[in-house]
Amino acid sequence: MIVRSRIVCIGIIAVLLTVLATLLAMLRAPDTRPAELLASLAEMKQIDALWSADVLSLELGLNPNYDSVAAPVGTLAERYRTIEKLADGDSSPTGDLPSSLAAYRSAMDAKIRIVERIKAQYSIISNSSRLLPIAAADLFAELEGGADRPPSNSPIADLLTRIVIDVASYIVTPNEQLQQVIDDQMAALREAAGRTSPEAAAKADTLLAHMAVILRQKQLGTKLIVDLTAVPTAQAIDRLQRDAQVLEADQNRYRSLLRDLVLVCSFLLVLAITWAAYLLRRHYKRLNQDNSALQQANEDAQSQLIQSSKLSAMGQMVAGITHEINTPLAYVKAVFCLIRDQMAEMQAGRTSVLGAVAELRPATADGLPDDQLGELNMLIDEGLHGLDEITNLIITMKNFSRLDKGRLEYIDIEEALDGAALIARSEVKYIADTVKDYGKIPKIHASSTQLKQVFLNLINNAAHAMADQPKRGKLTLRTRVETEDMIRIEIEDSGTGIPADVLPKIFDPFFTTKDVGKGTGMGLSICYRIIQTHGGTISARSQPGIGTTFTIILPHRAKTESEHRLEQAAA
Ligand code: ADP
């Protein structure tokens, strides 16, 4: 569960970090398009206004160089391309840059077309204006009969002079009234020249043709200027500027949204990190607990190991000693038996000798008193009895050093406990109540005799511990399922308890706190060995003044002797 939460938490942190990094990168690289667009449009507007002014100056004759009116076209086209590039991909929901650009483009094309026509018209006017004085001079010369000087006093010369001046002023300020005057003057000149001579009439026609061109082109120029001022390039630029401002506003909104998202993400990240820290703390706490449990288990295992090696060493020693003692013991016992047999023979011989002597000399019949022989026999019997006790002790010690499992079978532990409690009943019944707290454990494969011996030993010890207590004691026999393949048996008493400094020694062979003759100190060490050979463990916990609990853990299936030996060899 904790592991899954940790994975989820790390996943969330990773996702949040990625999102945050992306958002920050987006914030760091701002979209400069709107600002650039606005700057280019302002520039364009300025160029466009100057251009219009140039064209007007040209038309008014204030600008002598008509090429200059074409110059802004290239610059404007370049700006247009820049703006087109900047506006590319605009998906602003509020502005419509592409359609505004298209509108500007068509206005611009119209303006270029008009400017081209103005240029052409200006070029024709300037051409005719240049030729006008030449044609006038030719006509003067013709009227003067070849002289180069104009006839200042003739009416036709006056008319010619006026008409040239009027046309010149029409070029600067064209108006209908002046045009009417010029038209009349031209008709009068054509007529006067026709009356003078055919050559003069021809020269007058040339001059009048130039004048007519100037007048026509000038009228066209006025119309083109009107058309030019009607072209909405400035409005189109204004519209583009509005769209760019909308784009900029969208951009600002987008950036503020990004900033809000960064804030939310950071907040969530802090929450996720706090959660991770909490999980980590919980995890470490659990690890620490597991660690302490493992340490405890390790310590228990070590003490079991020490205990078992102690017992093993002791077992070997006992086996050696018993073997060594056995031979002289058998010898001494045989000698005692021999002496006893010979004493019996001696006594029989003595009885018959005494009978014979009594018949011959009754006074010597009391040579060996009867009670002395009887005493000797008694001493021999006592000696033999002592030797039997030593033999029994040696058999017990031998059994300890070589605890065969006995017959292994599937046994009911609760029944075995009941059996042991029944045998110990006479020890327990006056001092304690027996409580059976059985957990319906399954049958296990073990030696019934040996386990009963263990239970009996533990119950007897419990009875001894409760014997001198002021209150009636309580003996609890408990069984539980420990794990899938282990069972637990507990024998708990409310006796004297075991002091902490004594507790580690109780499983040692020959350790006893009981008076001489009352305890051998072998009971618990034999229990330990039996449980160990069954592949289980036995331990005790105790509180002085409150009581002691012995806990046995056994596998469902006891190990075979060979398995156990192999295990010991491997250890
Ligand atoms: P013995 O009973 O012959 O002394 P054991 O090996 O059976 O030998 O016990 C060793 C010692 O452990 C006892 O002398 C006693 O001090 C202690 N002991 C064993 N069982 C209990 C118990 N239930 N309550 C208190 N002390 C106990």
Side-chain angles (χ1 to χ4, degrees):
M1 182 67 191
I2 285 192
V3 174
R4 217 178 52 218
S5 308
R6 268 214 323 266
I7 292 171
V8 170
C9 186
I10 289 170
I12 290 174
I13 290 178
V15 169
L16 283 173
L17 275 175
T18 315
V19 172
L20 198 64
T22 315
L23 288 174
L24 285 173
M26 283 160 87
L27 261 180
R28 268 218 190 138
D31 188 354
T32 52
R33 277 186 320 142
E36 285 178 39
L37 209 57
L38 280 168
S40 293
L41 285 169
E43 208 182 335
M44 252 173 99
K45 198 170 179 184
Q46 201 181 357
I47 296 169
D48 186 68
L50 286 174
W51 188 30
S52 299
D54 272 356
V55 176
L56 277 175
S57 314
L58 181 75
E59 193 56 36
L60 293 173
L62 300 174
N63 185 354
N65 180 11
Y66 67 80
D67 281 337
S68 67
V69 296
V73 175
T75 319
L76 283 171
E78 197 185 306
R79 293 290 176 281
Y80 175 79
R81 275 196 297 278
T82 310
I83 288 173
E84 204 175 32
K85 227 181 272 168
L86 287 169
D88 187 33
D90 168 43
S91 55
S92 159
T94 39
D96 189 10
L97 264 174
S99 84
S100 300
L101 262 179
Y104 172 74
R105 177 81 208 226
S106 75
M108 191 64 191
D109 287 349
K111 192 165 180 174
I112 291 170
R113 275 196 303 277
I114 293 169
V115 169
E116 285 305 317
R117 286 180 68 194
I118 290 174
K119 260 172 68 183
Q121 168 255 343
Y122 178 81
S123 141
I124 294 168
I125 289 179
S126 65
N127 205 30
S128 294
S129 303
R130 213 175 54 247
L131 293 172
L132 195 66
I134 300 165
D138 279 357
L139 185 57
F140 266 115
E142 188 57 44
L143 292 174
E144 287 292 310
D148 214 12
R149 196 167 43 85
S152 52
N153 49 357
S154 73
I156 191 165
D158 283 349
L159 183 59
L160 185 56
T161 307
R162 266 204 318 279
I163 198 168
V164 168
I165 290 168
D166 285 347
V167 167
S169 75
Y170 185 82
I171 290 171
V172 178
T173 47
N175 61 66
E176 275 184 28
Q177 213 183 338
L178 189 56
Q179 192 186 345
Q180 191 56 53
V181 172
I182 293 170
D183 282 348
D184 292 349
Q185 288 171 339
M186 281 170 68
L189 184 67
R190 186 173 291 111
E191 202 191 316
R195 278 198 309 269
T196 310
S197 68
E199 288 77 16
K203 303 245 177 204
D205 279 348
T206 306
L207 177 67
L208 289 172
H210 282 307
M211 285 179 174
V213 166
I214 288 171
L215 290 180
R216 214 174 35 251
Q217 288 302 322
K218 207 58 206 170
Q219 278 165 8
L220 181 65
T222 310
K223 190 179 165 294
L224 285 174
I225 290 295
V226 171
D227 287 353
L228 184 73
T229 48
V231 174
T233 45
Q235 289 90 321
I237 293 174
D238 286 347
R239 189 175 148 188
L240 277 169
Q241 276 178 324
R242 274 196 303 280
D243 286 340
Q245 277 160 358
V246 168
L247 192 67
E248 193 178 43
D250 285 351
Q251 182 71 30
N252 287 342
R253 262 200 305 280
Y254 171 69
R255 287 181 70 74
S256 101
L257 181 74
L258 278 185
R259 271 193 290 271
D260 289 350
L261 280 176
V262 166
L263 273 180
V264 171
C265 253
S266 310
F267 177 68
L268 290 177
L269 195 63
V270 169
L271 278 186
I273 288 171
T274 314
W275 184 30
Y278 164 73
L279 285 179
L280 223 70
R281 205 167 152 260
R282 225 170 66 171
H283 173 69
Y284 277 116
K285 217 164 149 187
R286 190 167 278 196
L287 263 183
N288 269 346
Q289 279 169 357
D290 290 354
N291 206 16
S292 325
L294 272 176
Q295 243 173 348
Q296 186 58 46
N298 192 23
E299 276 168 20
D300 289 353
Q302 260 183 350
S303 66
Q304 297 256 355
L305 202 70
I306 291 168
Q307 189 66 26
S308 107
S309 48
K310 261 191 208 168
L311 286 178
S312 159
M314 185 61 76
Q316 279 174 12
M317 195 177 83
V318 165
I321 292 171
T322 50
H323 179 76
E324 292 301 319
I325 293 176
N326 240 359
T327 318
L329 186 69
Y331 171 75
V332 171
K333 200 171 168 187
V335 167
F336 263 82
C337 286
L338 204 67
I339 292 173
R340 190 180 59 188
D341 292 347
Q342 283 188 4
M343 283 287 293
E345 274 175 33
M346 270 173 66
Q347 199 159 13
R350 178 183 171 269
T351 311
S352 61
V353 169
L354 277 181
V357 170
E359 279 173 22
L360 295 172
R361 249 180 55 203
T364 55
D366 290 343
L368 277 166
D370 269 351
D371 51 342
Q372 261 184 358
L373 274 174
E375 221 172 275
L376 216 56
N377 271 328
M378 208 177 73
L379 284 174
I380 289 168
D381 284 345
E382 285 285 315
L384 277 171
H385 177 70
L387 285 174
D388 280 344
E389 292 230 319
I390 294 173
T391 310
N392 280 340
L393 183 66
I394 283 181
I395 288 168
T396 313
M397 284 163 81
K398 255 183 148 174
N399 282 346
F400 167 75
S401 66
R402 183 176 49 80
L403 269 178
D404 294 332
K405 272 215 184 91
R407 204 158 59 86
L408 290 177
E409 59 194 325
Y410 277 97
I411 58 162
D412 186 331
I413 284 292
E414 287 154 8
E415 261 178 35
L417 276 170
D418 286 345
L422 192 68
I423 297 168
R425 199 165 159 268
S426 56
E427 289 266 359
V428 178
K429 69 178 178 186
Y430 298 111
I431 50 171
D433 296 323
T434 304
V435 176
K436 292 174 185 172
D437 175 11
Y438 293 161
K440 292 206 172 56
I441 53 171
K443 283 188 173 183
I444 68 160
H445 195 245
S447 160
S448 167
T449 332
Q450 288 193 354
L451 289 188
K452 272 186 192 155
Q453 187 185 342
V454 170
F455 300 152
L456 187 61
N457 214 323
L458 295 179
I459 293 171
N460 275 338
N461 276 350
H464 294 161
M466 292 186 288
D468 297 329
Q469 293 295 89
K471 269 198 329 187
R472 191 172 166 75
K474 181 177 162 193
L475 172 72
T476 308
L477 309 178
R478 193 175 293 121
T479 59
R480 290 286 183 273
V481 170
E482 175 76 357
T483 60
E484 211 175 288
D485 47 7
M486 292 283 201
I487 57 147
R488 166 194 285 260
I489 305 152
E490 282 181 354
I491 294 175
E492 182 183 327
D493 65 58
S494 58
T496 50
I498 307 170
D501 59 325
V502 172
L503 199 60
K505 302 179 205 160
I506 58 170
F507 292 107
D508 288 352
F510 306 114
F511 175 82
T512 181
T513 57
K514 292 173 188 165
D515 294 339
V516 181
K518 281 195 175 172
T520 60
M522 289 299 285
L524 284 182
S525 60
I526 289 176
C527 290
Y528 191 95
R529 226 171 138 73
I530 290 173
I531 298 299
Q532 194 194 29
T533 50
H534 276 76
T537 59
I538 178 168
S539 58
R541 57 179 195 280
S542 183
Q543 273 186 288
I546 293 183
T548 305
T549 305
F550 280 87
T551 304
I552 298 168
I553 307 284
L554 280 174
H556 282 188
R557 202 185 149 76
K559 287 181 186 140
T560 61
E561 191 68 25
S562 56
E563 270 174 347
H564 177 65
R565 276 205 217 100
L566 274 174
E567 209 174 68
Q568 276 196 331

